Amino acid sequence: QVQLVESGGGLVQAGGSLRLSCQASGRVLRINVMGWYRQVVGKQRELVAAMTSGGDTNYADSVKGRFTISRDNRERAVYLQMNKLEPEDTAVYYCNADLISRDVRVIGPYWGPGTQVTVSS
Protein backbone atom coordinates (compact mmCIF):
# COMPACT_ATOMS: atom_id res chain seq x y z
CA GLN A 1 0.00 0.00 0.00
CA VAL A 2 1.65 3.20 -1.23
CA GLN A 3 0.47 6.47 0.25
CA LEU A 4 1.38 10.09 1.00
CA VAL A 5 0.56 11.79 4.31
CA GLU A 6 0.93 15.52 4.99
CA SER A 7 1.79 17.09 8.34
CA GLY A 8 2.83 20.46 9.76
CA GLY A 9 -0.36 22.43 9.25
CA GLY A 10 -1.91 24.53 11.97
CA LEU A 11 -2.91 28.00 13.10
CA VAL A 12 -0.45 30.85 12.71
CA GLN A 13 -0.62 34.63 12.83
CA ALA A 14 -0.04 36.71 9.72
CA GLY A 15 3.66 37.13 9.09
CA GLY A 16 4.50 33.81 10.68
CA SER A 17 5.91 30.63 9.18
CA LEU A 18 5.01 26.97 8.82
CA ARG A 19 6.82 24.01 7.31
CA LEU A 20 4.70 21.33 5.70
CA SER A 21 5.95 17.79 5.22
CA CYS A 22 4.68 15.02 2.99
CA GLN A 23 5.92 11.55 3.82
CA ALA A 24 5.72 8.66 1.38
CA SER A 25 5.25 5.14 2.70
CA GLY A 26 5.02 1.67 1.25
CA ARG A 27 7.25 0.20 -1.41
CA VAL A 28 8.72 3.58 -2.35
CA LEU A 29 12.37 4.27 -3.13
CA ARG A 30 12.17 8.03 -3.59
CA ILE A 31 10.09 10.94 -4.85
CA ASN A 32 10.03 11.58 -8.58
CA VAL A 33 7.92 14.59 -9.64
CA MET A 34 6.16 16.48 -6.85
CA GLY A 35 3.86 19.41 -6.18
CA TRP A 36 1.92 21.21 -3.46
CA TYR A 37 -1.67 22.29 -4.03
CA ARG A 38 -4.19 24.12 -1.88
CA GLN A 39 -7.95 24.37 -1.86
CA VAL A 40 -10.59 26.48 -0.15
CA VAL A 41 -14.18 25.24 0.13
CA GLY A 42 -16.12 26.43 -2.88
CA LYS A 43 -13.03 27.10 -4.98
CA GLN A 44 -10.91 25.05 -7.34
CA ARG A 45 -7.73 23.39 -6.16
CA GLU A 46 -4.71 25.40 -7.27
CA LEU A 47 -1.05 24.60 -7.74
CA VAL A 48 1.17 26.32 -5.19
CA ALA A 49 4.60 24.92 -6.00
CA ALA A 50 6.08 22.11 -8.05
CA MET A 51 9.45 20.49 -8.62
CA THR A 52 10.47 18.20 -11.46
CA SER A 53 12.69 15.17 -11.05
CA GLY A 54 15.55 17.33 -12.35
CA GLY A 55 15.05 20.00 -9.70
CA ASP A 56 13.31 22.70 -11.74
CA THR A 57 10.73 24.59 -9.68
CA ASN A 58 7.56 26.51 -10.42
CA TYR A 59 5.58 28.70 -8.01
CA ALA A 60 2.25 30.44 -8.09
CA ASP A 61 2.73 34.20 -8.42
CA SER A 62 1.03 34.75 -5.08
CA VAL A 63 3.68 32.78 -3.16
CA LYS A 64 6.89 33.61 -5.03
CA GLY A 65 9.56 34.79 -2.64
CA ARG A 66 7.67 33.43 0.36
CA PHE A 67 7.34 29.66 -0.20
CA THR A 68 10.05 27.13 -1.00
CA ILE A 69 9.52 23.56 -2.17
CA SER A 70 12.13 20.88 -1.53
CA ARG A 71 12.53 17.13 -1.25
CA ASP A 72 14.68 14.61 0.58
CA ASN A 73 14.98 11.34 -1.29
CA ARG A 74 16.66 9.62 1.67
CA GLU A 75 13.65 10.41 3.85
CA ARG A 76 11.18 9.90 0.98
CA ALA A 77 9.66 13.25 1.83
CA VAL A 78 8.51 16.49 0.21
CA TYR A 79 8.53 19.82 2.05
CA LEU A 80 6.98 23.26 1.69
CA GLN A 81 8.53 26.05 3.73
CA MET A 82 6.01 28.89 4.04
CA ASN A 83 7.18 32.29 5.28
CA LYS A 84 5.43 35.64 5.68
CA LEU A 85 2.07 33.91 5.71
CA GLU A 86 -1.03 35.91 4.88
CA PRO A 87 -4.72 35.26 5.64
CA GLU A 88 -5.19 34.57 1.93
CA ASP A 89 -2.93 31.52 2.33
CA THR A 90 -5.57 29.82 4.50
CA ALA A 91 -6.55 26.54 2.84
CA VAL A 92 -6.17 22.79 2.95
CA TYR A 93 -2.78 21.93 1.50
CA TYR A 94 -2.24 18.71 -0.45
CA CYS A 95 0.89 17.06 -1.72
CA ASN A 96 0.95 15.23 -5.03
CA ALA A 97 3.74 13.12 -6.44
CA ASP A 98 4.87 10.53 -8.90
CA LEU A 99 7.04 8.06 -7.01
CA ILE A 100 9.82 5.60 -7.71
CA SER A 101 9.02 2.16 -6.33
CA ARG A 102 11.61 -0.05 -4.69
CA ASP A 103 11.81 -2.12 -7.86
CA VAL A 104 12.59 1.13 -9.73
CA ARG A 105 9.29 1.80 -11.46
CA VAL A 106 7.50 5.11 -11.83
CA ILE A 107 4.17 4.87 -10.02
CA GLY A 108 1.38 7.28 -9.31
CA PRO A 109 0.43 10.03 -9.19
CA TYR A 110 -0.63 9.91 -5.55
CA TRP A 111 -2.40 12.47 -3.37
CA GLY A 112 -2.18 12.99 0.35
CA PRO A 113 -5.32 13.54 2.45
CA GLY A 114 -4.40 17.18 3.10
CA THR A 115 -3.44 19.33 6.09
CA GLN A 116 -5.21 22.50 7.23
CA VAL A 117 -3.34 25.81 7.30
CA THR A 118 -5.11 28.74 8.93
CA VAL A 119 -3.57 32.22 9.00
CA SER A 120 -5.16 34.81 11.26
CA SER A 121 -4.93 38.55 10.69
Side-chain angles (χ1 to χ4, degrees), residues 84-103:
K84 300 180 180 179
L85 284 162
E86 304 169 353
E88 292 74 20
D89 296 317
T90 296
V92 177
Y93 284 71
Y94 301 88
C95 66
N96 174 261
D98 289 332
L99 308 174
I100 305 298
S101 65
R102 286 188 287 176
D103 58 351

Side-chain angles (χ1 to χ4, degrees), residues 97-119:
D98 289 332
L99 308 174
I100 305 298
S101 65
R102 286 188 287 176
D103 58 351
V104 200
R105 298 178 181 180
V106 177
I107 57 175
Y110 292 91
W111 289 91
T115 185
Q116 177 70 47
V117 172
T118 302
V119 184

